[in-house]
Amino acid sequence: MNISRRPLLAGAGAAVFGTAHAQTPPTLRIGVLTDMNGPYAANTGPGSVVGARLAAEDMMRAHPGLRVEVIQGDFQNRPDVGTTMARSWLDTQGVDVILDVPVSSVAFAVADMVREKDKVALFTGPAAANLSGDRCGPNHAHWTYDTWSLASGTGRALVADGGDTWFFITADYAFGHALERDTADFVRAAGGRVLGQARTPFPGTTDFSSFLLQAQASRAKIVGLANAGSDTVSCIKQAAEFGLTRRGVRLAGLLFQIADVHAVGLAAAQGLVLTEAFYWDMNEGSRAFSARVAPQLNGQKPSMIHAGAYSAVTHYLKAAVALGAERAKASGRAAMEWMKANPTDDPLFGRGELRADGRKLHDMYLFQVKSPEESRAPWDYYTLRRTIPAAEAFRPLAQGGCPLVRT
């Protein structure tokens, strides 16, 4: 386990010396449980830590009495390591909030822990829509995106564009299964057919050739990649080597983010359609945030998950300011209730809301990857095809099966 600690504390001026009874406010501790070196590191990992720290810095600057500490832990995408680290943070290290958690199976376990301990989990990294469905809870929120929103955006668009037969290459764990399931539902609802799937071990699969050959043999028009990070990058590169796209097969990167496009290169990624919650070049707020993040990531522009970390931490700290740090530390459920009762508002996602089932609502965007000739500058990778309004970007509340909202 790789755990590092970097304090973000307000200066001495935050202490009040005017009365003998004045006390220094307690420190809120945020633990970023993430993948620092593995297949998801470029889209989560160091950038999620940066996003959390920038949010803490901005909120402490606006509220000098606020004290926040951000720590990080690399759980290596291993459920046993992730659950052990999370429990240690909650039991012995005074962590109030667990952030990111880019493996859905670990997120399910963390959701149970924070409910038991009355702490908070802000899930910006995992995708399984179950986190605001049958696995919802009063102490966690699902930020940024989920499998339903990705499937709705990309799946619908490709079927409408003639991609009516699909074969899935799926990471064999909760996230991959959920992404395949939700996309297949949209494909079938739009009149398409699923011709088959191949399940790939996670983590550890680096050679996808046999799975790509199965996809080719199916004669599906669309190969849906229900995986993420370096796994998706490897699939796209190896598909190009096999000549799948030259034979007319289209690839659907169902969770394909800007760092993945950069790793693949525009020559191989051009034309791919994808759904994201954030793009660094959307507006002044996104560009300003990216200008702060990129120097800390060796020039890499932030992903939607990095932006989600900033957004989620900002809203939680607003709750802590409103309730008082003591109350926020004492009851994660109280903090979550405040977060649901008050609209979200930040420069990256604009105004939104945290729904009763813990689903954060905001617009999503359908992008198409530019060709090398269309790109005007480094990281100029996307053309916006459609803005998906928040009301249709995420699964309707009544369809999720969340026990918190059943009537």
Side-chain angles (χ1 to χ4, degrees):
M1 289 184 276
N2 174 19
I3 304 176
S4 67
R5 181 185 299 264
R6 176 181 167 186
L8 285 171
L9 301 178
V16 179
F17 299 106
T19 172
H21 299 289
Q23 294 182 347
T24 301
T27 298
L28 296 164
R29 291 186 170 84
I30 300 172
V32 186
L33 189 64
T34 191
D35 174 9
M36 295 297 290
N37 300 289
Y40 298 161
N43 294 315
T44 62
S48 293
V49 177
V50 172
R53 287 175 175 160
L54 290 177
E57 289 171 2
D58 289 350
M59 286 297 292
M60 286 192 294
R61 189 177 300 111
H63 303 278
L66 185 65
R67 297 166 60 86
V68 185
E69 182 182 19
V70 175
I71 67 173
Q72 68 191 52
D74 183 358
F75 74 107
Q76 305 161 36
N77 298 312
R78 290 174 51 189
D80 58 335
V81 175
T83 54
T84 299
M85 188 179 296
R87 189 165 293 281
S88 174
W89 280 359
L90 297 173
D91 287 346
T92 66
Q93 298 188 46
V95 167
D96 303 294
V97 179
I98 295 180
L99 177 75
D100 199 358
V101 199
V103 170
S104 295
S105 56
V106 179
F108 294 150
V110 170
D112 292 339
M113 288 184 205
V114 295
R115 183 170 188 163
E116 173 193 345
K117 304 291 183 182
D118 198 13
K119 299 298 183 181
V120 169
L122 302 174
F123 295 125
T124 55
N130 306 68
L131 285 164
S132 59
D134 59 349
R135 300 297 294 270
C136 73
N139 290 73
H140 72 263
H142 199 186
W143 227 265
T144 317
Y145 74 108
D146 60 28
T147 52
W148 198 98
S149 65
L150 299 177
S152 172
T154 305
R156 282 174 171 167
L158 289 175
V159 174
D161 202 27
D164 57 359
T165 55
W166 286 61
F167 185 97
F168 289 96
I169 295 177
T170 302
D172 193 11
Y173 75 104
F175 149 69
H177 297 175
L179 187 52
E180 177 193 314
R181 175 201 67 210
D182 289 345
T183 307
D185 286 346
F186 280 106
V187 169
R188 295 187 183 104
R193 293 182 296 141
V194 176
L195 303 184
Q197 62 281 126
R199 301 284 169 79
T200 65
F202 177 87
T205 303
T206 56
D207 182 359
F208 292 88
S209 56
S210 64
F211 310 112
L212 290 165
L213 290 173
Q214 291 179 54
Q216 179 179 306
S218 76
R219 299 191 177 182
K221 295 177 183 176
I222 306 290
V223 176
L225 303 177
N227 50 21
S230 61
D231 287 351
T232 304
V233 169
S234 295
C235 279
I236 293 172
K237 287 182 175 179
Q238 291 172 31
E241 293 170 3
F242 285 135
L244 260 67
T245 53
R246 291 195 300 273
R247 297 186 181 96
V249 176
R250 297 181 67 183
L251 302 177
L254 299 172
L255 178 49
F256 195 52
Q257 300 180 63
I258 193 163
D260 305 323
V261 175
H262 187 76
V264 171
L266 291 182
Q270 61 182 311
L272 281 170
V273 174
L274 53 92
T275 303
E276 292 228 48
F278 169 88
Y279 178 47
W280 73 271
D281 200 20
M282 286 288 288
N283 51 51
E284 290 185 8
S286 63
R287 286 188 285 272
F289 175 72
S290 301
R292 298 172 69 190
V293 172
Q296 301 187 58
L297 298 180
N298 297 316
Q300 176 189 321
K301 298 298 185 183
S303 73
M304 66 174 173
I305 295 174
H306 303 157
Y310 180 92
S311 174
V313 170
T314 296
H315 196 54
Y316 168 77
L317 292 178
K318 288 179 180 179
V321 169
L323 297 174
E326 295 87 351
R327 177 64 175 151
K329 286 183 73 69
S331 176
R333 187 170 301 189
M336 192 62 62
E337 289 172 352
W338 187 98
M339 293 169 70
K340 291 177 179 179
N342 291 271
T344 61
D345 193 4
D346 61 71
L348 307 185
F349 294 91
R351 289 182 65 84
E353 66 174 293
L354 187 60
R355 208 166 57 182
D357 59 354
R359 176 66 257 168
K360 165 65 164 60
L361 301 181
H362 48 251
D363 293 347
M364 296 288 289
Y365 305 97
L366 187 70
F367 294 109
Q368 185 162 349
V369 179
K370 292 183 176 182
S371 68
E373 295 74 27
E374 292 171 317
S375 179
R376 299 164 299 170
W379 297 91
D380 175 31
Y381 292 163
Y382 291 171
T383 297
L384 178 63
R385 285 186 48 169
R386 180 176 178 239
T387 297
I388 306 169
E392 66 177 84
F394 295 95
R395 180 178 55 204
L397 182 65
Q399 295 178 13
C402 171
L404 299 178
V405 297
R406 282 180 180 162
T407 58

